[in-house]
Amino acid sequence: MDIIKKVNDIAVEFFDDNNSRFASKMGTSETNIRNYRSKIIPKVDFIVRLCNELEISLEWMFNNSGPMRVIQTETLKPVAGQPVIQTEHRKDEGVPLYDSSAQLSLVDLFEGHGSIIDYITIPGLPKSDGALHIKGDSMYPLLKSGDIAIYKKVRNIEDGIFYGEMYLLSVNIDGDDATMVRYIQKSDLGVEYVRLVSQHINHSPKDMHLKHIKALALIKASIRINSMH
């Protein structure tokens, strides 16, 4: 993972190799930008903010997976090189998109109780298990309510977490189920806990015991449909 090289790629792609414009966009100094392009790896919060500002894929940035830019589509009509939401439900042609309007937990969905409403095909998409429409604003502006998150199920929650990545998770506290999207980070409370972090500034981080997480999935990609016309 060569972050410095990718910062250079971003400088060329978005700012015509101009450090001053790059610095102005990110609210930092030209000295910092020069350092990030040559010898200093930026902090994670800067990288995440950079990806949010320019709609750069975190998968590309951290995992060398997929295109640089977040894949978006303006309509549901097939467009060359863009995500295609199939109008016919053919399992062999894409990732199943599940009905998120039904009152089902992620556990129910993983156990096969969900209703498939369509299939999604994206060129170069890593192996994925399903897709859901996101609800809520906890990951805004990276994800908005109504965006589609494409995920890969985590079979072993205790050993299958990659800290710093974004996850779809189902939690149960005092008998109440909730499905949410969060970054998962290490917790200061010990290995039996994780820290759930939102993108939205109004949502505070929360430490949670692993026993409360009933289902977990790594988000592989997201789709934002800007217009239905």
Side-chain angles (χ1 to χ4, degrees):
M1 181 177 67
D2 191 346
I3 295 295
I4 291 176
K5 180 182 182 302
K6 290 182 177 180
V7 171
N8 273 287
D9 291 342
I10 291 167
V12 173
E13 176 75 16
F14 290 89
F15 303 104
D16 296 325
D17 213 15
N18 187 308
N19 289 339
S20 177
R21 288 175 53 197
F22 196 167
S24 177
K25 176 68 175 179
M26 297 307 300
T28 188
S29 67
E30 286 189 55
T31 299
N32 283 341
I33 295 299
R34 284 195 295 270
N35 287 336
Y36 295 158
R37 297 187 63 182
S38 60
K39 58 185 178 181
I40 297 177
I41 296 177
K43 293 182 178 179
V44 172
D45 58 348
F46 178 89
I47 296 173
V48 171
R49 184 161 58 87
L50 174 63
C51 290
N52 291 341
E53 287 285 343
L54 302 178
E55 295 190 330
I56 291 170
S57 167
L58 290 170
E59 280 287 313
W60 173 82
M61 177 64 78
F62 290 110
N63 296 330
N64 294 317
S65 175
M68 176 192 292
R69 297 172 185 265
V70 174
I71 298 173
Q72 297 186 6
T73 179
E74 293 185 353
T75 73
L76 295 180
K77 296 180 180 179
V79 178
Q82 295 291 326
V84 178
I85 299 182
Q86 303 289 349
T87 57
E88 297 181 8
H89 298 173
R90 290 180 288 187
K91 185 176 181 179
D92 61 337
E93 291 195 0
V95 177
L97 174 64
Y98 290 96
D99 182 6
S100 55
S101 64
Q103 297 301 313
L104 293 175
S105 70
L106 205 57
V107 176
D108 295 326
L109 190 63
F110 287 179
E111 291 178 349
H113 302 303
S115 174
I116 298 174
I117 58 176
D118 234 319
Y119 285 87
I120 299 173
T121 299
I122 300 177
L125 179 70
K127 185 177 180 181
S128 304
D129 294 317
L132 278 176
H133 285 94
I134 296 298
K135 296 179 180 179
D137 64 354
S138 64
M139 298 306 290
Y140 182 84
L142 185 61
L143 291 176
K144 296 196 303 183
S145 185
D147 288 355
I148 296 172
I150 301 174
Y151 61 82
K152 182 77 172 64
K153 290 185 285 188
V154 176
R155 267 67 179 183
N156 187 330
I157 294 177
E158 291 186 359
D159 298 324
I161 295 174
F162 293 95
Y163 292 104
E165 295 291 345
M166 190 190 309
Y167 287 87
L168 180 67
L169 61 157
S170 181
V171 301
N172 184 289
I173 301 177
D174 296 330
D176 293 327
D177 290 320
T179 299
M180 61 188 70
V181 178
R182 296 288 190 276
Y183 291 115
I184 294 184
Q185 299 178 356
K186 289 186 177 181
S187 170
D188 294 334
L189 300 181
V191 295
E192 294 182 345
Y193 289 81
V194 292
R195 190 167 180 81
L196 306 181
V197 181
S198 301
Q199 184 70 29
H200 199 293
I201 59 174
N202 292 335
H203 292 254
S204 300
K206 181 178 179 61
D207 292 290
M208 180 168 291
H209 199 288
L210 288 173
K211 69 181 181 182
H212 294 306
I213 301 177
K214 303 304 180 182
L216 188 67
L218 175 65
I219 294 182
K220 291 286 190 176
S222 63
I223 300 173
R224 179 169 299 167
I225 298 174
N226 295 317
S227 173
M228 298 294 289
H229 304 289

